[in-house]
Amino acid sequence: ENYRNGILLHAIPFLIPITQIMLTASCYTTVAITIERFLSIRMPFFIQKHNIKAKVFVIPVLILAIGYNIPRFFEFTVLSLCDWSSLSNSSSVNTTLSNQSYPERCDQLEEVQFYSLSITEIRKNPLYIMVGSNCAPQNSLS
């Protein structure tokens, strides 16, 4: 329980985008190396004359994979939730809480907190889902 609330839920908003970056880079690196191998076999003198290495193909793929998946870091957020069962006995606490937002209430009461993973507004946007999720290679984590 401590691992899930303390570490895992806070790591998920970072682990999912990093995983997507690696999946995108893996797919396009395979394509880039295939193109590099094709060119080295088809035009060996051109490759030797211009001293073209595989990193010329791989580095742009890594930059593209990172750039394309940067918005994924803003898809999820961790919300803190209070244990409201301990607050149900006090009516004075409930009346003071009615005009405040939910996460602020937890911090002000200094109660035991639980955490929940939530999607943000960007993840709910239909255009973002169409372009960001459906066009990504191997988007099995979306």
Side-chain angles (χ1 to χ4, degrees):
E1 187 69 24
N2 290 333
Y3 171 75
R4 187 178 72 80
N5 284 334
I7 298 172
L8 184 62
L9 281 178
H10 293 284
I12 286 176
F14 299 103
L15 291 177
I16 290 175
I18 290 171
T19 303
Q20 289 297 323
I21 289 171
M22 295 303 155
L23 288 171
T24 304
S26 173
C27 291
Y28 290 119
T29 300
T30 303
V31 172
I33 291 175
T34 303
I35 292 170
E36 187 271 335
R37 293 285 87 201
F38 171 77
L39 292 176
S40 66
I41 291 171
R42 186 78 172 137
M43 299 183 289
F45 298 115
F46 177 80
I47 298 295
Q48 288 177 356
K49 180 181 175 184
H50 295 289
N51 197 20
I52 298 175
K53 303 288 183 193
K55 66 182 175 183
V56 172
F57 295 95
V58 174
I59 291 174
V61 166
L62 293 176
I63 292 170
L64 175 73
I66 292 169
Y68 181 77
N69 288 296
I70 289 279
R72 291 189 184 273
F73 284 97
F74 304 105
E75 287 184 355
F76 297 100
T77 186
V78 178
L79 299 176
S80 60
L81 308 171
C82 290
D83 183 11
W84 291 107
S85 61
S86 64
L87 300 175
S88 60
N89 299 333
S90 172
S91 61
S92 63
V93 173
N94 288 335
T95 58
T96 59
L97 295 176
S98 61
N99 296 329
Q100 298 173 349
S101 67
Y102 192 73
E104 290 175 353
R105 287 183 260 167
C106 295
D107 295 337
Q108 290 173 357
L109 292 173
E110 298 178 6
E111 289 294 324
V112 175
Q113 293 183 355
F114 298 98
Y115 297 98
S116 174
L117 190 64
S118 176
I119 59 174
T120 60
E121 291 300 317
I122 189 173
R123 184 68 174 112
K124 295 175 186 176
N125 187 335
L127 180 64
Y128 175 77
I129 292 171
M130 184 179 70
V131 174
S133 296
N134 293 338
C135 295
Q138 297 182 5
N139 63 357
S140 60
L141 295 177
S142 296

